[in-house]
């Protein structure tokens, strides 16, 4: 898969169950930054084996943690995901198809579909959120 000039940034704390799925769902990212706030499991080891640059920083809150992770990115295009989030194959294809036409002066969001208690939630204000 072709790489885009895009950094994937992920904040983590004990996400060994999710980090691989998250990183592998964005195979077109030229760079992966994992901002870890003190994991005691294998999160950092797994991320590094997948080629991520792991940065360790004490937890300072969601907003500041994501901002610090974004500042560590090498590319102007930044995709920020939580470790328990992942791109679907359809979303990967759509982004690859549309990337060249995206306006670099605009921020973008994606409709997020939640998986809760063993099922996809498509109603009640949960989708799209």
């Amino acid at each position: 898969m072709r790489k885009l000039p895009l950094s994937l940034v992920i904040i983590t704390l004990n996400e060994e169950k999710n980090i691989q799925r998250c990183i592998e769902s964005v195979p077109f990212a030229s760079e992966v930054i994992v901002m870890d706030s003190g994991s005691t499991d294998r999160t950092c080891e797994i991320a590094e084996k997948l080629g991520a640059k792991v940065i360790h920083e004490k937890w300072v809150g969601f907003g500041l943690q994501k901002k610090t992770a974004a500042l560590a990115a090498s590319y102007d295009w930044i995709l920020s995901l939580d470790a328990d989030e992942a791109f679907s194959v359809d979303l990967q294809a759509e982004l690859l198809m549309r990337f060249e036409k995206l306006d670099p002066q605009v921020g973008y969001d994606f409709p997020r579909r939640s998986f809760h208690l063993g099922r996809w939630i498509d109603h009640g204000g949960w989708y799209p959120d």
Side-chain angles (χ1 to χ4, degrees):
M1 178 170 290
R2 75 180 168 115
K3 299 288 187 178
L4 300 177
L6 177 143
S7 296
L8 170 62
V9 298
I10 309 164
I11 60 172
T12 60
L13 174 64
N14 293 330
E15 292 286 355
E16 72 180 3
K17 293 180 181 176
N18 296 312
I19 193 67
Q20 182 170 349
R21 180 176 66 97
C22 180
I23 292 171
E24 289 178 347
S25 79
V26 188
F28 49 81
S30 291
E31 172 183 60
V32 178
I33 304 286
V34 171
M35 178 69 66
D36 188 77
S37 58
S39 291
T40 57
D41 63 3
R42 296 179 52 240
T43 299
C44 298
E45 173 189 342
I46 294 166
E48 287 172 342
K49 283 185 179 178
L50 293 170
K53 176 181 178 184
V54 177
I55 301 169
H56 303 276
E57 182 174 294
K58 183 179 171 186
W59 180 252
V60 292
F62 284 103
L64 287 175
Q65 209 78 2
K66 285 186 174 275
K67 180 179 179 180
T68 303
L71 289 171
S74 301
Y75 296 93
D76 291 336
W77 284 104
I78 297 170
L79 174 58
S80 177
L81 294 178
D82 291 339
D84 65 345
E85 296 176 324
F87 262 42
S88 67
V89 173
D90 290 342
L91 188 53
Q92 289 176 22
E94 183 173 347
L95 183 60
L96 285 167
M97 179 182 68
R98 295 177 184 244
F99 186 80
E100 297 303 325
K101 295 178 183 167
L102 296 178
D103 182 345
Q105 300 300 314
V106 175
Y108 294 89
D109 58 9
F110 304 93
R112 183 171 57 179
R113 188 173 178 213
S114 296
F115 190 78
H116 183 65
L117 298 175
R119 62 189 174 110
W120 292 105
I121 309 297
D122 293 321
H123 57 277
W126 282 47
Y127 180 79
D129 75 347

